[in-house]
Amino acid sequence: MSTRPRTPAPGAPAPGKLPITELLEMKARRQPIVMITAYDAPSARLADAAGADVILVGDSAAMTVLGHDSTVPATMEEMLVLTRAATRGARRPLIVADMPFGSFQVSDEAAVTNAIRFVKDAGADAVKLEGAGTTLSRVHAIVGAGVPVMGHVGLTPQSATALGGFKAQGRTADKALRLYEDAVALESAGCFSLVLEAVPAPVATRITERLSIPTIGIGAGAGTDGQVLVWHDVLGLYDGRAPRFVKQYAHLAREIQAAVEAYASDVREHRFPEEVHTYAMPDEERQEFEAMLDAAGHQHPLAG
Ligand code: KIV
């Protein structure tokens, strides 16, 4: 009789899941890592089918799906719901849940508790934390509790106000050096990977060469180990000017609006629903139904 366990041991990747260590091997092979955000099951399923390696349930959801002007208002409860939905949709990609503002700033203990919720309650494979400084001790604590952590430096949207807005970071030698040292410190604290956002390409390249963990760039040039873009930016799912580093691969906002306009016009012009969209009923059943209505005293509204 087989003694093989029927369910994965705690901490073991689910069948078909990209092992986190594979990202290191991809870096070694110089095989670019593809990461994209997704915030629900259908988009995670499509990202998986399209071959994404990592899905980030980003707190960019606060802006892209929840309608806020910044990422700051995203709550733990909202991020947990979105992460659960994404994990139901995707099988192979690693799912990284973004820890929202307020969920890790207060203390190492709170950071560990919230990180564990993403893994235990929402099925995430890892969490992402913005910043260095006090974030280093949070990373250390969360990794110590067994949860893999992706770091994020450069433009960190949760502290955009303190950084002077949504602007590129590390554009002077001093600031580039600070960024470089933060990246090295995040690797030492235990991050398995690091997002570099809105950073000059030469700085991102130097950091990538220095670190043994993979870097994932967004607005950081072609020298990082992987790239990440936001789902809504890739698909052109909203109006407004996208940042310089976005490449839009579709214009779905236009297509969606045109489709909904066509539907509205079909309804208003009585072109929808047609016979093919309608359930029929055998004639004898319909006649019997009418007879039953008559017997029960329900007059046909058009009669007399
Ligand atoms: O929240 C997010 O989508 C992100 C990416 C832009 C890296 O942090």
Side-chain angles (χ1 to χ4, degrees):
M1 207 171 99
S2 168
T3 54
R4 189 189 297 196
R6 297 176 60 153
T7 49
K17 172 73 70 181
L18 186 84
I20 230 166
T21 48
E22 178 63 17
L23 299 185
L24 274 173
E25 285 163 28
M26 290 172 81
K27 177 176 175 111
R29 289 197 296 270
R30 295 181 182 273
Q31 180 183 342
I33 297 165
V34 178
M35 176 158 119
I36 188 164
T37 69
Y39 318 101
D40 58 22
S43 46
R45 193 172 302 121
L46 289 170
D48 186 357
D53 302 307
V54 185
I55 289 177
L56 172 66
V57 187
D59 63 352
S60 50
M63 300 170 78
T64 55
V65 299
L66 301 177
H68 294 292
D69 291 334
S70 82
T71 60
V72 169
T75 65
M76 269 304 291
E77 299 314 315
E78 287 164 345
M79 292 303 298
L80 284 167
V81 168
L82 302 176
T83 305
R84 265 186 220 115
T87 56
R88 284 184 207 116
R91 187 175 151 84
R92 176 185 171 274
L94 287 164
I95 306 271
V96 179
D98 220 354
M99 296 197 64
F101 183 70
S103 69
F104 65 93
Q105 282 82 358
V106 175
S107 66
D108 286 0
E109 289 71 20
V112 170
T113 303
N114 285 323
I116 286 176
R117 287 190 75 194
F118 276 117
V119 173
K120 247 181 113 116
D121 303 348
D125 301 303
V127 295
K128 176 169 84 60
L129 271 71
E130 288 188 8
T134 53
T135 299
L136 294 170
S137 110
R138 311 292 187 258
V139 171
H140 197 261
I142 295 170
V143 172
V147 178
V149 176
M150 177 179 275
H152 181 164
V153 289
L155 171 54
T156 44
Q158 291 175 8
S159 34
T161 311
L163 296 175
F166 286 86
K167 295 198 215 157
Q169 302 295 310
R171 296 184 85 177
T172 62
D174 278 357
K175 288 182 176 156
L177 179 63
R178 165 85 71 85
L179 207 54
Y180 184 96
E181 286 171 352
D182 284 348
V184 171
L186 282 161
E187 170 166 311
S188 302
C191 286
F192 72 91
S193 164
L194 181 65
V195 170
L196 299 173
E197 179 165 355
V199 170
V203 180
T205 303
R206 285 292 270 123
I207 292 173
T208 301
E209 288 164 356
R210 166 66 177 79
L211 299 190
S212 41
I213 56 170
T215 57
I216 314 278
I218 174 163
T224 53
D225 298 307
Q227 298 291 328
V228 56
L229 280 177
V230 167
W231 183 261
H232 290 61
D233 289 340
V234 171
L235 299 177
L237 265 173
Y238 56 80
D239 299 328
R241 232 187 68 206
R244 167 192 175 84
F245 54 72
V246 166
K247 181 166 175 188
Q248 210 172 304
Y249 288 83
H251 300 279
L252 295 193
R254 271 188 232 152
E255 286 198 36
I256 291 171
Q257 186 175 334
V260 177
E261 280 169 4
Y263 161 64
S265 140
D266 275 2
V267 170
R268 292 191 180 112
E269 302 300 325
H270 304 279
R271 287 189 298 259
F272 175 82
E274 300 163 52
E275 197 70 32
V276 288
H277 308 118
T278 308
Y279 296 105
M281 185 181 196
D283 274 353
E284 60 277 17
E285 293 297 334
R286 190 176 59 78
Q287 281 156 12
E288 191 178 337
F289 172 53
E290 292 293 347
M292 288 164 89
L293 286 176
D294 279 351
H298 298 294
Q299 273 212 333
H300 197 287
L302 297 181

